[in-house]
Structure formats: C-alpha cells, structure tokens
C-alpha cells in the first residue's frame, strides 16, 4: 500500500526507477501509456525487433517528442543491461527469447518482470531460483491474470482461509480446442479484414480461444501458489460470479471440482453457447472456506455470496487491465525487493495435444496454431508421459503420426539436444521433478 509513497521518496532523492522494456506490443504499449503519468518512473531503453514501430507505439500512447528523443530504441537486447537500469520487463511472448533475456537480466543483477508467461511455464521455477540465488527479483506481471490470482490466494491464506479454488474467467466451448487461425475471427465477431486493419495477430488471439493460454496461465498460478492442477485438465465449468461458491467447490460438497485446493477456469458461455449470467470473462477469483462457524456467520452478516451451507464463499475481481497495471510489479521489485508472484515449484505443465490427425514430417507451429493446443496437466503426470511442452512446440518436425486429441511426446519429434532452450527446460525438470 506504500508504493506511491516509496516512489515519491525516490523521486525526491533524484533516484528514479529506471526500466528497460523488451517488446513494445499491446502489453508493452499499455505500460508505456502510464509512464508519463508516473513521476519517478523512467523508461530510457525500449528493445524491439522493429524500433520504428516501437517509436510509433510511444507516439500513439501519448509520449511527447522530448520523451521519445531521450529514449533509446534498439534491436540490441544488451542495451537493456546498462548500469542505470534496475528492472527489465520481458514482454516478447516468445518462450525461447524470454528465457534468454531473463537469464541475461539475472546475470547482470537486474530485476526481471516476466510478462512472458509462456517462458515462465516452460522454465520459470528454475529462472526464479536463479534470481533468488543472485539476489534479484523474478516476478510475474501484475495486471495479467496469474499475478492477480496469486495475490488473491495470498490474501486468503494470510487472513486464515483455506483456498478451495482459484483462477480466472474466459470464453470457452469444447469445440474451441480445434479452432485454427483461419477460423478464429468469427468467434470474436470480427472479419479477417477488420482484424488485420487493427493489427491483430490471428495465432495469438487463437491461443486465447483454443484453451492454450488458459492452460498456461493456470500452470503459472499453480507453480506460484502451490495449488494443485486438475488430474485430467481444465474443466471450464460455466459459472457466473454469484455461483462461484456453489460451482467451484469439491464434488463431495456438491460442486464441480475433483477436490479442494485447485486452479480452474470458469467459462462465460453455457455449453449450448448462451451467455452466462454475470460472467467473469475478464476477471479472476478465489473461493475460500470458512474455518469455523463464527467465520461462516460473518460471511452472511457482511453480504458475501456463499453456497447453501454458508461455508464456501468467493471473492473476485471483475476486470484485469494488463499493461496499465504493470507498474505494481516494477515498483514492488525495485522498491520492496518483492515479486508480485513467482514460481516456487513445478506443479503444473502444459502439454501439446494434436488438433487434427498429424503426420510424420509435419512441422509443429506452436501456441494458437494449426497443429496443437495446450492442455494443462499435473507436472508429475506430464513428465511421466514424456509430454512435449507447448512452449517447445515451435518449428519441430514430427517423427511419428499423431492421432487427433493425443498428447505429442518428446519421442514424437526431432530434438536438438544442444538447443539452449531445450537444455534449460531439461535442467528445470531435473531440478524440480521431486516435490520440495
């Protein structure tokens, strides 16, 4: 609650918090729009594959000519490691690139805010441990749903409640798992031309639709909070905010969950496509259980929505503002030395699952593409099955035919064992395959 006070003190001392942004896409642009309105926070370096596009993004979000002139726009990631930079924001969305940037930041003694949740789920537990050992902060990005959910879980536990379930809302139907970039826009109510004119990437938006992004975000939450992952993947039960305590409780208590203490995503659509009443499509939630009758009575007295027993209640945040809220992570790392969520173990993984019949010789095309979608699995089950992580399913050639709906395994693809991303993933698996 003191971040603005601490920032003002740094500003008064002539020591602004200096940030390097890597990746000036939508998330990065939303963050940049807040910088001119946050005295004491500076972004002297922006790294992007297209520096002129990044410069134009700054103009679009309201930066004046003087601020733009004072900023270094570059393709050279090493510019982010200069001595004046305290915090590096990795917002590329590319798992391999994200891991490389995170390790470079840690080696240079910089805090790293990992917007790149794809990289976090692929190797985050190892990266976070490396950061802790180096005395710097590795943090999930506040404003994105994993960090907001982790915050709610921490709130519930710190106040003495047992967490029954936590997660987010999204738009989901079972048929979405098979959707490809060619058909994605109709599900968003757009034409291909409208999406193209808005600069929208069909594969990225399809990763949100086909369940992959939800799986990645729930794995990140599980790894950060210690909550369990559903045994057979996400259920996506249709559920509005008023019904969270009723639906998101264990089956033995009449709910949809296999047990208490899990991550789960609720759908804003009924299975027949009708909208859920008071849906949580843009928000996050935590369902908690009263530890005693007195607390249950307090739930009722203070108007919390509960199940019929009065013992299960829910708290939720209806919206998340992604990059507009990123300052919380940056300032928490720089001024408090604390992350806004970080992986502490390896509990959730995201496996590659065939969208259609795949043939030997085909190339996998990663999250949101034409070949695979990402399914959430308990990490132990994923390792036992030899499942190929979705974060590695980019430009890999299949050695075997894969049936539609089947998990793609490491043994099904041609692997370069010397690839640095693969080596990092294997090191993470070796370090965190046993419970800690």
């Amino acid at each position: 609650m003191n971040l603005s006070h601490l920032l003002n003190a740094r500003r008064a001392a002539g020591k602004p918090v200096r940030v390097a942004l890597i990746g000036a896409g939508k998330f990065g642009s939303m963050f940049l729009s807040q910088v001119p309105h946050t005295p004491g926070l500076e972004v002297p370096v922006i790294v992007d594959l297209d520096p002129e596009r990044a410069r134009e993004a700054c103009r679009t979000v309201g930066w004046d000519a003087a601020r733009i002139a004072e900023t270094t726009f570059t393709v050279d990631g090493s510019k982010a490691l200069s001595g004046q930079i305290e915090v590096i924001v990795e917002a590329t969305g590319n798992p391999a690139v994200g891991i490389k940037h995170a390790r470079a930041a840690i080696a240079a003694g910089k805090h790293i805010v990992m917007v790149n949740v794809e990289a976090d789920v692929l190797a985050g537990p190892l990266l976070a441990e490396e950061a802790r050992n180096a005395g710097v902060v590795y943090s999930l990005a506040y404003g994105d749903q994993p960090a907001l959910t982790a915050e709610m879980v921490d709130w519930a536990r710190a106040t003495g409640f047992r967490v029954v379930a936590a997660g987010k809302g999204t738009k989901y139907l079972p048929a979405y798992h098979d959707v490809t970039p060619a058909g994605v826009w109709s599900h968003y109510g757009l034409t291909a031309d409208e999406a193209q004119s808005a600069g929208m990437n069909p594969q990225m938006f399809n990763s949100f639709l086909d369940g992959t992004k939800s799986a990645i975000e729930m794995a990140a939450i599980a790894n950060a909070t210690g909550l369990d992952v559903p045994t057979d993947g996400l259920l996506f039960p249709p559920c509005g905010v008023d019904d969270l305590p009723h639906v998101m409780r264990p089956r033995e208590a009449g709910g949809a969950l296999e047990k208490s203490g899990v991550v789960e995503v609720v759908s804003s659509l009924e299975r027949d496509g009708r909208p859920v009443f008071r849906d949580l499509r843009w928000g996050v939630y935590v369902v908690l259980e009263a530890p005693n009758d007195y607390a249950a009575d307090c739930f009722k007295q203070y108007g919390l929505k509960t199940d019929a027993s009065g013992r299960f209640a829910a708290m939720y945040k209806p919206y998340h503002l992604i990059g507009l809220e990123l300052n919380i992570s940056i300032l928490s790392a720089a001024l408090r030395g604390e992350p806004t969520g970080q992986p502490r173990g390896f509990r959730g993984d995201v496996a590659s699952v065939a969208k259609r019949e795949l043939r030997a010789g085909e190339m996998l095309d990663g999250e949101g593409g034409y070949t695979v979608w990402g399914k959430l699995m308990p990490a132990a089950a994923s390792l036992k099955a030899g499942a190929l992580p979705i974060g590695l399913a980019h430009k890999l050639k299949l050695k075997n035919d894969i049936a539609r709906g089947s998990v793609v395994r490491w043994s099904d693809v041609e692997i370069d064992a010397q690839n640095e991303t693969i080596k990092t993933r294997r090191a993470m698996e070796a370090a965190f395959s046993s419970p800690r």
Side-chain angles (χ1 to χ4, degrees):
M1 296 182 185
N2 297 305
L3 288 177
S4 62
H5 171 77
L6 293 172
L7 181 60
N8 286 335
R10 282 282 298 268
R11 180 193 180 202
K15 297 179 180 179
V17 175
R18 292 188 171 96
V19 181
L21 172 66
I22 305 179
K26 179 61 173 176
F27 199 115
S29 294
M30 292 178 78
F31 159 62
L32 292 171
S33 75
Q34 298 302 98
V35 172
H37 311 289
T38 313
L41 179 69
E42 297 180 356
V43 183
V45 178
I46 298 176
V47 181
D48 196 89
L49 292 175
D50 186 343
E52 184 52 42
R53 182 189 66 177
R55 189 177 283 108
E56 182 59 30
C58 289
R59 295 189 190 100
T60 299
V61 302
W63 281 29
D64 60 28
R67 186 180 295 272
I68 291 173
E70 293 170 354
T71 303
T72 297
F73 295 87
T74 179
V75 299
D76 184 359
S78 68
K79 299 291 187 182
L81 305 176
S82 66
Q84 65 174 336
I85 300 297
E86 283 186 76
V87 182
I88 293 174
V89 174
E90 214 298 335
T92 65
N94 182 306
V97 171
I99 290 170
K100 178 181 177 181
H101 288 153
R103 282 190 143 163
I106 293 165
K110 313 297 183 184
H111 304 306
I112 178 78
V113 175
M114 188 63 89
V115 176
N116 190 337
V117 70
E118 293 82 3
D120 177 77
V121 169
L122 188 61
L126 183 65
L127 298 176
E129 183 167 88
E130 290 176 354
R132 290 191 292 269
N133 291 338
V136 296
V137 173
Y138 173 99
S139 179
L140 299 178
Y142 199 89
D144 226 350
Q145 288 164 306
L148 297 180
T149 305
E151 179 185 50
M152 297 191 79
V153 170
D154 187 61
W155 164 84
R157 288 172 171 165
T159 48
F161 294 112
R162 179 188 182 193
V163 174
V164 176
K168 68 165 194 171
T170 197
K171 180 181 179 181
Y172 171 84
L173 290 173
Y176 290 170
H177 291 309
D178 295 332
V179 176
T180 70
V184 66
W185 296 129
S186 63
H187 298 287
Y188 285 99
L190 297 169
T191 66
D193 288 342
E194 289 170 338
Q196 184 177 11
S197 66
M200 300 165 72
N201 182 320
Q203 185 157 344
M204 181 188 74
F205 275 82
N206 198 46
S207 73
F208 287 92
L209 189 75
D210 71 9
T212 300
K213 192 73 169 183
S214 290
I216 289 171
E217 292 186 332
M218 293 305 103
I221 294 167
N223 293 339
T225 63
L227 290 170
D228 285 333
V229 166
T231 300
D232 194 33
L234 294 169
L235 299 173
F236 295 97
C239 184
V241 295
D242 297 328
D243 293 327
L244 284 167
H246 176 76
V247 175
M248 306 309 290
R249 57 182 177 165
R251 289 172 192 153
E252 63 184 23
L257 307 179
E258 64 179 276
K259 61 180 180 179
S260 185
V262 298
V263 295
E264 187 56 81
V265 177
V266 295
S267 176
S268 63
L269 295 177
E270 302 287 355
R271 288 295 189 260
D272 62 4
R274 290 178 297 114
V276 165
F277 179 66
R278 283 174 44 83
D279 67 77
L280 193 66
R281 179 178 177 183
W282 307 109
V284 297
Y285 76 92
V286 61
V287 171
L288 43 93
E289 184 177 1
N292 50 51
D293 291 340
Y294 184 84
D297 288 341
C298 291
F299 287 171
K300 182 178 180 181
Q301 293 161 7
Y302 286 87
L304 269 71
K305 294 288 186 180
T306 68
D307 72 329
S309 75
R311 299 194 71 86
F312 295 94
M315 295 291 275
Y316 62 91
K317 190 171 186 176
Y319 303 105
H320 69 295
L321 298 178
I322 59 170
L324 298 181
E325 300 180 82
L326 186 61
N327 284 358
I328 302 299
S329 289
I330 293 167
L331 300 181
S332 182
L335 305 178
R336 287 182 178 156
E338 294 181 355
T340 50
Q342 67 172 211
R344 299 279 180 174
F346 182 38
R347 304 185 70 85
D349 198 16
V350 184
S352 304
V353 175
K355 287 187 172 182
R356 55 175 173 78
E357 299 289 327
L358 300 176
R359 299 300 180 191
E362 286 194 67
M363 298 290 288
L364 300 181
D365 59 354
E367 302 101 327
Y370 289 84
T371 56
V372 291
W373 61 276
K375 179 179 179 178
L376 183 64
M377 294 181 68
S382 175
L383 294 180
K384 183 177 180 180
L388 180 71
I390 191 72
L392 293 178
H394 298 257
K395 298 181 180 179
L396 292 182
K397 182 180 288 188
L398 286 170
K399 295 192 298 183
N400 302 316
D401 294 346
I402 308 294
R404 177 181 175 275
S406 295
V407 171
V408 181
R409 293 170 168 78
W410 286 86
S411 58
D412 292 320
V413 294
E414 295 180 2
I415 292 291
D416 177 6
Q418 299 308 307
N419 177 278
E420 285 301 318
T421 307
I422 290 172
K423 288 167 66 176
T424 301
R425 167 66 188 207
R426 287 303 203 190
M428 191 277 289
E429 292 179 351
F432 289 88
S433 58
S434 299
R436 294 189 168 197

